[in-house]
């Protein structure tokens, strides 16, 4: 498998020495102090999540609104000229509609069509303040112009300065030699400077010509033309680029966002990888009243390193074209009927290993394909689907190719009568298909050897599954009783192709599945620490009987054996999927005690202890032979099939307080005096945003029987420690970390450390991650590889950001944590 490159997302292109010419020399005026910009520092009423030291507050108008189309005024003194002009002085205030002009001296010509003001002037208009040295204001339209202007848009939390600001008749604002920033007054962390900036508050975007981005007054990026958002509305334009570095070259991506319509958008991303070539990626999204979907993909016509990075046995060669496509759609016809479509495909199994999909580079091990129709009625639930997926391994073993369901038809229903009697119907008809190339003995070449596909995985064919059931449920507050009989029917029509086999093409069976489940509920009032609680004591018995029927000629399309757990104590199903009906003659017994808050009924504590007694050995495994047991009598599989009692299962869920909670499950073999599986989790989650997770996992070698492939089974005891947490230093800073340690092999499986900084006008995510990839062979560590990545995202609020968002990865890596949204407050 190809080695994933280490990637670094850099903060744009550092271009302080890129171009130094006249367009870059725009020099806006120096900004005004905060008290001249309607800025009010927070006092005792500061919100807990505020990241700014204050907010913009527009004061009330000094004059009442005049009749439409008219102007009202207020001044200390006034005089009329010989030619009809009017000169006002002192504290002059004029208002027309939502526009108010304040100045010490104002001149009105005889035509009364405009106002000329001498500064300092202040122009207010719908949560906008503009201050300047001089202004001209039309009384017939919305046009105005101000020299040496300083502006604030209160709702958008942006401000700036301009040599000249003009409000156009259509309501837009044009600024010459101007700046734009969302940083609070007194902060010059970043600003956009341009010769010609156009702000359209109605449409929610701005444009700038010959613009440069300054960080701390240092130019770091230049655009001949740039479009940027003024609010949360989506805007067409270039997004911030991402510059990556690998051991062999540079990786540059330049996304372009297209806001097609309110319900549609697209992103096109040309990506230049110096040692591979040009990769063109894209994503199209739509959201209609009853339908929504996404189409994404990427294509490179000539990958110069495809063969150099390929694994042993891969058919990739230098110069190959490579691509992927992923289409997702969901919709509904009415309230009861909906559908889903999904189609994913890639040129080869190593595409995402070589080109990645996100920062976390978590395993993209398959691409799904699905067409599904669902109907939910009052009694019946119907489903029709065609389903499959492309497994992304390179090279891909024939035996690892997935089965497709072409199609799968499912029908379920339930009828209930007074008195507790009920009937259930469950049926499924599926045609399973996959394309494998083997000889008549099931052998195929793989890398340097020969592999064989097991006979039970060699056929394509149809499976009919019928599971009708009848039962009776007696349910009272003090207990319940539920006898149930289910008839499990399986029948097949198989095609082995050229494979030589003595098996029949039409095996079938019908097996009764009988169970009786019952329990009692005892309650008492309890006072704990001055709080009123109800404590329950709930003993439970469950008996299940399933006879052993020959299934040795049955295929394995979608089946796996379940691991033992608390839930398995009460279930008669030993297998997932539909190709095996496990024999069982078992009595489970257990007791659970719960502590409920009497006022709300919320569960504070649940403690359960249970075990199962087996009256017969379990002969049915994936081989399906009722007359044999696992061959290796020293193996855990043989021991588990012949033991007369299960491990003791202890389960604890405890909410210690509103902040602390713990979960624990322990499977202990009281016969061999050993722990078979143990898991323990402790979580702290505070209202302030702090999160701490402590986890422990122990698993005996051979315990996990869910994977039938030997390469996917652990060949050693598993003991792991998992520590993760997030500490919210304040509204501005989150510290995030995770460490997973494999104590069995004395190595770390994952390390992650990151910081999120959410300031008034910018946001920062900085993360380092290192993790182990087992390369698809969990039973050995010799071929494991260590991958690592460094991630940087920088967001200039109101302008855009650099790098991809890692918030979803943080939320998954640290359970209980919710990433801070980069929104100015």
């Amino acid at each position: 498998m190809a080695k994933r490159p280490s990637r670094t997302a850099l903060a744009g292109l550092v271009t302080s020495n890129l171009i130094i010419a006249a367009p870059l020399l725009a020099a806006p005026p120096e900004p005004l102090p905060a008290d001249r910009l309607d800025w009010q520092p927070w006092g005792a009423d500061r919100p807990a999540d505020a990241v700014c030291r204050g907010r913009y507050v527009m004061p009330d108008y000094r004059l009442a609104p005049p009749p439409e189309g008219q102007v009202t005024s207020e001044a200390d003194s006034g005089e009329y000229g010989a030619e009809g002009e009017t000169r006002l002085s002192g504290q002059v205030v004029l208002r027309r509609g939502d526009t108010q002009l304040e100045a010490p001296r104002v001149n009105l010509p005889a035509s009364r069509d405009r106002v000329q003001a001498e500064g300092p002037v202040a122009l207010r208009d719908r949560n906008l303040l503009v201050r300047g040295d001089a202004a001209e204001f039309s009384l017939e339209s919305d046009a105005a112009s101000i020299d040496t202007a300083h502006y604030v848009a209160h709702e958008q939390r942006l401000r700036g300065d301009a040599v000249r600001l003009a409000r156009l008749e259509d309501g837009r604002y044009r600024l010459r030699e101007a700046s734009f920033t969302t940083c609070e007054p007194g902060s010059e962390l970043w600003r956009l400077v341009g010769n010609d900036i156009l702000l359209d508050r109605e449409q929610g975007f701005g444009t700038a010509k010959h613009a440069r981005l300054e960080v701390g007054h240092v130019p770091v990026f230049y655009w001949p033309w740039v479009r940027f958002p003024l609010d949360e509305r989506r805007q067409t334009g270039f997004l911030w680029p991402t510059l990556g570095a690998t051991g062999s070259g540079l990786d540059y991506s330049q996304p372009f966002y297209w806001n097609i319509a309110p319900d549609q958008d697209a992103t096109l991303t040309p990506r230049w990888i110096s040692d591979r070539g040009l990769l063109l990626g894209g994503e199209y999204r739509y959201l209609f009243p009853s339908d929504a979907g996404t189409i994404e993909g990427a294509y490179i016509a000539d990958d110069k390193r495809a063969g150099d990075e390929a694994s042993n046995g891969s058919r990739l060669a230098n110069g190959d074209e490579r691509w992927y496509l992923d289409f997702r759609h969901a919709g509904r016809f009415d309230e009861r009927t909906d559908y889903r479509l999904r189609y994913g495909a890639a040129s080869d199994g190593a595409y995402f290993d070589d080109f990645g999909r996100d920062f976390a580079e978590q395993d993209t091990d398959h691409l799904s394909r699905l067409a599904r129709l669902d109907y939910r009625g009052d009694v019946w639930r119907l489903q029709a689907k065609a389903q499959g997926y492309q497994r992304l391994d390179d090279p891909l073993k024939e035996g690892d190719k997935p089965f497709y369901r072409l199609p799968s038809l499912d029908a379920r229903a339930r009828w209930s009568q007074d008195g507790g009697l009920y009937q259930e119907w469950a049926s499924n008809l599926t045609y399973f298909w996959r394309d494998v190339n083997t000889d008549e003995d099931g052998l195929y070449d793989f890398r340097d050897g020969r592999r064989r596909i097991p006979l039970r995985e060699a056929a394509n064919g149809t499976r009919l599954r019928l599971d009708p059931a009848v039962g009776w449920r007696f349910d009272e507050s003090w207990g319940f009783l539920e006898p149930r009989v289910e008839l499990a029917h399986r029948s097949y029509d198989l095609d082995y192709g050229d494979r030589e086999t003595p098996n029949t093409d039409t095996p079938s069976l019908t097996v009764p599945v009988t169970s009786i489940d019952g329990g009692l509920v005892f309650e008492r009032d309890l006072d704990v620490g001055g709080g009123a609680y109800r404590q329950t004591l709930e003993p439970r018995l469950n008996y299940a009987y399933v006879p052993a029927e020959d299934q040795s000629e049955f295929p394995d399309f979608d089946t796996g054996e379940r691991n033992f757990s608390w839930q398995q104590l009460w279930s008669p199903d030993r297998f997932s999927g539909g190709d095996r009906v496990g024999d069982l003659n078992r009595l489970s017994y257990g007791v659970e005690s719960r502590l409920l808050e009497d006022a709300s009924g919320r569960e504070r504590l649940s403690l359960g202890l249970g075990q199962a007694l087996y009256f017969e050995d379990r002969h049915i495994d994936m081989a399906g032979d009722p007359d044999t047991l696992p061959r290796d009598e020293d193996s855990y599989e043989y021991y588990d099939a012949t033991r007369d009692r299960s491990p003791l299962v202890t389960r604890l869920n405890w909410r210690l307080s509103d902040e602390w909670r713990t979960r624990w499950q322990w499977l202990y073999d009281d016969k061999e005096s050993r722990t078979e599986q143990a898991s323990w989790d402790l979580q702290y989650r505070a209202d302030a945003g702090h999160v701490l997770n402590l986890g422990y996992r122990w698993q005996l070698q051979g315990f996990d029987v869910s994977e039938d492939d030997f390469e996917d089974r652990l060949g050693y005891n598993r003991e792991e420690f998992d520590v993760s947490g997030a500490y919210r230093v304040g509204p501005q800073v989150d510290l995030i970390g995770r460490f997973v340690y494999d104590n069995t092999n004395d190595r770390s499986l994952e390390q992650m450390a990151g910081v999120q900084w959410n300031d008034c006008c910018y946001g920062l995510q900085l993360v380092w991650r290192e993790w182990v990839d087992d390369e698809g062979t969990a039973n050995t560590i010799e071929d494991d590889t260590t991958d690592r990545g460094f991630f940087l995202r920088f967001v200039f609020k109101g302008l855009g950001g650099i790098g991809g968002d890692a918030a979803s990865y943080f939320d998954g890596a640290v359970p209980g944590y919710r990433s801070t949204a980069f929104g100015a407050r």
Side-chain angles (χ1 to χ4, degrees):
M1 183 174 292
K3 179 73 172 178
R4 292 188 181 95
S6 299
R7 301 184 184 277
T8 306
L10 302 181
L13 294 176
V14 178
T15 57
S16 58
N17 59 350
L18 182 67
I19 300 176
I20 302 298
L24 289 179
L25 299 180
E30 289 296 318
L32 293 177
D35 60 357
R36 299 285 310 281
L37 298 174
D38 291 346
W39 178 261
Q40 291 188 8
W42 291 111
D45 58 343
R46 175 173 181 162
D49 58 351
V51 294
C52 297
R53 289 188 290 270
R55 75 282 198 199
Y56 295 105
V57 178
M58 182 175 176
D60 295 334
Y61 283 96
R62 294 176 59 177
L63 297 179
E68 185 175 355
Q70 297 186 23
V71 178
T72 58
S73 64
E74 179 183 278
D76 291 342
S77 62
E79 60 182 47
Y80 296 94
E83 299 181 0
E85 71 273 17
T86 302
R87 292 187 291 272
L88 303 176
S89 59
Q91 296 293 325
V92 182
V93 182
L94 280 74
R95 182 173 179 183
R96 177 181 180 271
D98 290 330
T99 303
Q100 178 177 280
L101 178 67
E102 304 171 20
R105 290 175 296 279
V106 173
N107 298 322
L108 286 84
S111 60
R112 299 295 191 266
D113 60 345
R114 66 185 185 279
V115 173
Q116 295 176 330
E118 300 177 18
V121 301
L123 180 68
R124 296 189 179 276
D125 182 13
R126 291 183 300 163
N127 287 308
L128 179 75
L129 166 66
V130 183
R131 295 189 183 276
D133 291 345
E136 185 169 323
F137 172 50
S138 172
L139 295 179
E140 297 179 346
S141 70
D142 289 330
S145 65
I146 298 180
D147 295 332
T148 314
H150 312 273
Y151 65 93
V152 171
H154 301 76
E155 291 183 348
Q156 288 83 12
R157 301 184 62 88
L158 61 89
R159 64 177 177 87
D161 312 284
V163 171
R164 184 175 181 83
L165 181 149
R167 187 177 68 181
L168 308 181
E169 293 186 3
D170 58 8
R172 296 180 299 167
Y173 291 83
R174 166 152 277 144
L175 297 83
R176 303 288 185 184
E177 303 273 338
S179 67
F180 160 91
T181 185
T182 58
C183 294
E184 58 192 7
S187 172
E188 299 296 330
L189 184 112
W190 73 267
R191 66 175 183 170
L192 183 72
V193 180
N195 275 15
D196 185 354
I197 296 180
L198 188 65
L199 304 180
D200 190 335
R201 299 172 67 207
E202 292 294 331
Q203 298 297 321
F205 71 89
T207 61
K209 296 178 181 178
H210 297 302
R212 68 180 186 268
L213 174 66
E214 293 183 356
V215 177
H217 293 291
V218 177
V220 297
F221 205 89
Y222 166 75
W223 297 269
W225 181 89
V226 65
R227 177 172 172 148
F228 52 90
L230 297 179
D231 50 33
E232 297 301 318
R233 284 176 285 181
R234 300 172 299 165
Q235 302 293 341
T236 296
F238 286 99
L239 304 179
W240 282 86
T242 298
L243 182 64
T246 70
S248 54
L250 296 178
D251 185 345
Y252 177 80
S253 299
Q254 177 57 73
F256 176 81
Y257 178 79
W258 181 17
N259 185 26
I260 302 171
D263 54 4
Q264 302 174 65
D265 64 13
T267 304
L268 301 176
T269 308
R271 178 180 174 188
W272 171 254
I273 308 172
S274 61
D275 57 343
R276 292 186 179 274
L278 178 64
L279 178 79
L280 181 62
E283 179 187 53
Y284 168 67
R285 303 186 301 175
Y286 53 92
L287 178 61
F288 303 141
S290 60
D291 304 84
T294 302
I295 304 173
E296 66 176 63
Y299 175 80
I300 181 171
D302 179 6
D303 182 2
K304 299 180 178 62
R305 290 184 59 85
D308 296 341
E309 298 289 337
S311 300
N312 178 30
S314 172
R315 296 182 180 179
L316 285 172
N318 291 345
D320 281 355
E321 65 174 358
R322 305 180 71 184
W323 52 268
Y324 92 93
L325 174 69
D326 197 358
F327 166 64
R328 288 160 283 181
H329 179 90
R332 67 180 192 174
F333 296 111
D334 53 48
E335 291 183 356
R336 294 182 178 270
T337 311
D338 58 42
Y339 67 96
R340 290 184 178 273
L341 301 173
R342 178 81 182 265
Y343 182 79
S347 57
D348 56 85
Y351 177 89
F352 293 106
D353 291 318
D354 292 343
F355 296 101
R357 194 163 192 171
D358 56 20
F359 150 70
E361 299 235 23
Q362 301 184 45
D363 289 339
T364 305
D365 57 4
H366 71 277
L367 287 171
S368 297
R369 296 159 185 184
L370 173 70
R372 192 179 79 191
L373 178 66
D374 289 280
Y375 170 79
R376 295 176 300 277
D378 294 333
V379 174
W380 287 92
R381 293 198 170 192
L382 309 177
Q383 183 184 90
K385 68 181 179 182
Q387 184 178 30
Y389 61 91
Q390 178 185 357
R391 183 160 179 169
L392 298 178
D393 284 338
D394 185 54
L396 176 64
K397 294 185 294 185
E398 295 291 316
D400 285 343
K401 290 182 177 179
F403 280 99
Y404 280 68
R405 295 173 170 88
L406 301 172
S408 177
L409 307 176
D410 197 84
R412 299 176 182 273
R414 180 182 173 95
W415 300 269
S416 300
Q417 292 82 43
D418 294 338
L421 188 67
Y422 67 86
Q423 302 84 38
E424 293 180 348
W425 174 265
S427 61
N428 179 270
L429 180 66
T430 302
Y431 177 73
F432 293 92
W433 173 88
R434 69 172 175 173
D435 182 21
V436 295
N437 297 308
T438 66
D439 60 20
E440 62 275 9
D441 295 321
L443 295 171
Y444 63 93
D445 294 323
F446 183 76
R447 289 179 173 166
D448 298 328
R450 299 275 282 170
R451 303 286 182 105
R452 183 190 299 273
I453 293 180
L455 188 59
R456 65 175 182 268
E457 300 177 11
N460 295 328
T462 302
R463 181 185 72 197
L464 175 63
R465 177 178 177 178
L466 302 176
D467 297 291
V470 60
W472 175 70
R473 176 81 179 188
F474 172 80
D475 202 346
E476 295 289 344
S477 61
W478 50 266
F480 72 95
L481 180 65
E482 183 178 8
R484 174 186 170 94
V485 178
E486 179 181 306
L487 205 61
H489 174 80
R490 308 288 184 270
S491 60
Y492 296 85
D493 184 7
L494 304 176
D495 179 8
Y496 286 92
D498 297 331
R499 183 73 177 265
E500 294 183 357
T501 173
N503 292 354
T504 178
D505 294 340
T506 56
S508 66
L509 66 76
T510 302
V511 179
V513 178
T514 306
S515 65
I516 302 177
D517 195 14
L520 297 173
V521 179
F522 301 97
E523 293 185 352
R524 67 166 180 169
D525 294 331
L526 191 66
D527 190 328
V528 179
Y533 294 90
R534 279 182 298 132
Q535 183 188 18
T536 70
L537 186 66
E538 304 173 38
R540 183 177 180 181
L541 290 174
N542 181 286
Y543 175 76
Y545 178 75
V546 184
E549 295 289 338
D550 189 2
Q551 300 162 57
S552 59
E553 297 187 358
F554 282 23
D556 174 15
F557 290 136
D558 63 355
T559 299
E561 192 167 356
R562 300 179 190 270
N563 290 323
F564 193 75
S565 64
W566 175 267
Q567 288 74 22
Q568 283 299 106
L569 276 174
W570 321 112
S571 172
D573 301 321
R574 291 177 44 225
F575 293 89
S576 62
D579 297 309
R580 296 291 182 273
V581 181
D583 57 322
L584 194 63
N585 188 359
R586 180 213 67 201
L587 175 66
S588 295
Y589 49 88
V591 62
E592 186 174 17
S593 180
R594 295 183 297 151
L595 199 61
L596 309 175
E597 288 184 340
D598 201 31
S600 64
R602 182 172 60 169
E603 184 178 285
R604 277 290 185 181
L605 181 144
S606 173
L607 175 63
L609 175 65
Q611 191 175 36
L613 294 179
Y614 299 111
F615 304 113
E616 295 179 2
D617 293 341
R618 279 71 60 208
H619 288 76
I620 301 299
D621 55 14
M622 292 307 298
D625 191 338
D627 300 321
T628 63
L629 292 167
R631 296 179 181 179
D632 186 0
E633 295 187 6
D634 295 326
S635 68
Y636 181 84
E637 289 82 357
Y638 181 87
Y639 174 75
D640 192 46
T642 58
R643 67 199 307 174
D644 58 4
R645 61 181 183 268
S646 75
L648 284 165
V649 185
T650 305
R651 186 188 69 165
L652 172 68
N653 293 330
W654 187 6
R655 191 182 185 96
L656 291 83
S657 66
D658 291 341
E659 293 81 21
W660 289 93
R661 67 187 67 184
T662 184
R663 293 177 180 174
W664 181 42
Q665 180 168 282
W666 181 32
L667 275 64
Y668 179 75
D669 185 348
D670 58 334
K671 181 178 180 180
E672 295 292 330
S673 300
R674 65 182 179 184
T675 296
E676 294 188 0
Q677 187 193 52
S679 61
W680 174 77
D681 295 282
L682 177 66
Q683 183 182 82
Y684 170 78
R685 186 176 181 182
D687 292 338
H690 313 313
V691 176
L692 175 64
N693 298 289
L694 304 177
Y696 173 79
R697 303 285 182 276
W698 162 269
Q699 187 171 284
L700 189 69
Q701 178 182 343
F703 178 85
D704 188 352
V705 295
S706 59
E707 291 290 350
D708 187 52
D709 190 337
F710 174 74
E711 290 188 347
D712 291 331
R713 290 194 181 186
L714 288 178
Y716 48 83
N717 297 336
R718 175 188 178 189
E719 186 176 28
E720 293 177 5
F721 298 91
D722 190 344
V723 180
S724 64
Y727 182 72
R728 185 149 293 169
V729 180
Q732 293 180 311
V733 183
D734 289 358
L735 303 178
I736 307 106
R738 187 184 187 193
F739 180 70
V740 182
Y741 183 71
D742 176 6
N743 193 52
T744 305
N745 299 296
D746 192 20
R747 60 174 182 167
S748 64
L749 296 178
E750 179 169 1
Q751 301 177 66
M752 186 267 289
V755 61
Q756 283 198 143
W757 185 283
N758 186 29
D759 197 71
C760 188
C761 63
Y762 74 95
L764 173 71
Q765 290 175 337
L766 180 63
V767 188
W768 171 80
R769 181 178 179 237
E770 179 180 283
W771 70 101
V772 170
D773 189 336
D774 69 9
E775 303 294 350
T777 54
N779 66 341
T780 182
I781 65 172
E782 281 76 13
D783 62 347
D784 291 356
T785 59
T786 298
D787 296 331
R788 55 185 59 87
F790 182 80
F791 172 85
L792 171 64
R793 184 187 183 214
F794 202 102
V795 174
F796 300 100
K797 295 181 180 180
L799 186 60
I802 300 164
D805 191 354
S808 60
Y809 172 71
F810 292 154
D811 295 349
V814 184
Y817 173 67
R818 295 295 176 265
S819 297
T820 301
F822 285 154
R825 300 173 187 173

